[in-house]
Amino acid sequence: MRWSWREVAGAFGDLGVLVPIAVALIVVNGLSATAVLLPAGILYVVSGLVYRVPVPVQPLKAFGAIAIAQGLGSDVIAAGALLMGVIFVLLGVTGLLDRAARWVPQPVIRGVQLSVGLLFLKVAWGLVSSPPVAFTDAARPSWWLVAGAVLVALAAGLWRQRLVTLGLVGLAAGAIAWHGPSLSLGPSALTVPSLDAATFGLALTVLVLPQLPLTFANSCLATADVARDYFGEEARRVTPGRLATSLGLTNLVVGAIGGMPVCHGAGGMSAHRAFGARTGAAPVVMGGVLVALALVLGSALAGLLVAFPLPVLAGLLAVAGIVHILLLRDVRRPWDWATVVVVGLLGLAGQLGLGLLVGLVLAWAPRLRARRQAELTSR
């Protein structure tokens, strides 16, 4: 690992995904701020030390969005985290996920990455066009938020220098300190969730089943693929099975303390790299910050995080989305492009499971046809 200001800047590149969902789960769903940030911080540190490249830690996006939209309680969220943990630990340690990954062609993975990039852009636009009511910026006019987000995205996207990113993070920290309440030190309370069969059943049908295709495709397959593209041999430790195991184990801890379910993410890796991260030092820095916030300011975070400037979040998220979409530059053949676009659009529409099935059919059809023709020719 290389310790530099570039790595420190890259550490904060994925805030646009983490902060909105974390704040909403704390403010809307009543989760403990310490329970939300502490497991994510620990996984960030472990990922940096184990994988040695900037493997990100993100909230489960479909899971979190549904939980927030329906106002589900901490017990249901904890049950869903435990189910996700069990499923992905089993997939990881048995090697099933690594074997399944061999059957997913590159165009299908690129389609997943397109859907994630488009989703990032959609979320960025939503942050400024329809600001979440939990944020203090929600009262500002939309044109002001859009203009601010565009300026942030241009500054970060055109230069991507460490001073730009660190300056934006410093600006956000100043806004939080200015608008937030007086600080109270110490962690927020942790509670053991109350679980029964009905709670697990609700979590399985409402939260886990919609999330499974996205975690399988984006958190495991696409993250490992992006790591190879960006870092080559340095990313040899980043395999789909290991990613499944690390996110699965963390979600078992999350479920035990009623926290925020987490995953890895190809878009997050693009975000960290876009802002300077090249080694495991960046996730260690980010993890250390999250652990410190969880333990030192956990009791005050519910009031502090709502002051995070939305233009900064939206701008950083937009840059990450664009960088992620640029991964498609190695797609060449028209049929592969058709596969990528179909998977990407279905994923953007919230039908990634269907997108994967259709994408696999489209990707394998020419291969099977060519194999069949070769067999007929050889007879």
Side-chain angles (χ1 to χ4, degrees):
M1 290 189 294
R2 297 188 300 270
W3 298 94
S4 67
W5 284 113
R6 185 183 183 93
E7 297 293 332
V8 174
F12 299 99
D14 200 30
L15 287 177
V17 176
L18 176 66
V19 173
I21 295 178
V23 171
L25 288 172
I26 293 168
V27 176
V28 177
N29 300 85
L31 270 59
S32 160
T34 296
V36 166
L37 297 184
L38 185 60
I42 292 173
L43 180 56
Y44 250 128
V45 172
V46 172
S47 294
L49 295 176
V50 171
Y51 296 122
R52 302 182 189 178
V53 293
V55 172
V57 177
Q58 299 178 329
L60 292 177
K61 289 172 280 295
F63 188 118
I66 295 170
I68 294 163
Q70 298 191 13
L72 298 177
S74 59
D75 291 342
V76 178
I77 295 172
L82 290 171
L83 290 171
M84 289 292 293
V86 170
I87 291 169
F88 280 92
V89 166
L90 290 176
L91 288 174
V93 300
T94 60
L96 287 174
L97 202 143
D98 283 324
R99 287 194 287 273
R102 301 189 188 106
W103 291 91
V104 182
Q106 187 87 341
V108 178
I109 295 176
R110 289 290 182 261
V112 173
Q113 292 160 348
L114 173 61
S115 73
V116 173
L118 293 174
L119 180 62
F120 278 16
L121 294 176
K122 180 181 178 181
V123 173
W125 173 251
L127 285 174
V128 294
S129 63
S130 301
V133 295
F135 286 86
T136 56
D137 269 348
R140 297 182 184 274
S142 294
W143 67 264
W144 186 92
L145 297 178
V146 172
V150 169
L151 289 175
V152 168
L154 287 174
L158 291 176
W159 293 290
R160 298 185 199 165
Q161 296 174 352
R162 59 180 181 269
L163 292 180
V164 173
T165 307
L166 291 176
L168 293 172
V169 173
L171 173 66
I176 291 173
W178 180 263
H179 294 288
S182 57
L183 296 181
S184 58
L185 300 181
S188 58
L190 301 179
T191 58
V192 178
S194 176
L195 304 173
D196 55 27
T199 304
F200 277 109
L202 178 62
L204 176 64
T205 56
V206 175
L207 298 175
V208 174
L209 291 180
Q211 178 65 49
L212 284 175
L214 183 59
T215 302
F216 168 76
N218 183 54
S219 299
C220 301
L221 271 63
T223 302
D225 179 77
V226 169
R228 288 193 299 272
D229 282 352
Y230 285 156
F231 306 110
E233 182 61 21
E234 293 181 10
R236 62 187 179 278
R237 302 171 188 84
V238 185
T239 66
R242 287 178 178 173
L243 293 169
T245 302
S246 59
L247 75 87
L249 289 173
T250 305
N251 278 315
L252 293 177
V253 175
V254 166
I257 63 174
M260 175 182 69
V262 296
C263 62
H264 301 295
M269 183 169 284
S270 293
H272 285 303
R273 183 179 180 276
F275 293 103
R278 295 294 183 272
T279 74
V284 170
V285 169
M286 189 65 209
V289 170
L290 293 178
V291 170
L293 287 173
L295 297 179
V296 178
L297 294 177
S299 58
L301 280 177
L304 288 173
L305 288 178
V306 296
F308 202 107
L310 287 177
V312 174
L313 284 180
L316 294 177
L317 191 56
V319 172
I322 293 170
V323 170
H324 209 49
I325 292 171
L326 290 176
L327 292 168
L328 275 61
R329 62 183 177 273
D330 64 353
V331 179
R332 296 287 184 268
R333 295 180 296 183
W335 190 260
D336 289 344
W337 269 110
T339 303
V340 169
V341 172
V342 168
V343 175
L345 292 180
L346 285 172
L348 179 64
Q351 300 294 327
L352 186 58
L354 175 62
L356 286 173
L357 292 176
V358 175
L360 286 171
V361 172
L362 291 174
W364 278 103
R367 292 170 171 81
L368 294 176
R369 190 184 306 115
R371 184 180 299 175
R372 178 63 176 167
Q373 290 176 346
E375 291 175 354
L376 291 175
T377 303
S378 63
R379 290 177 182 176

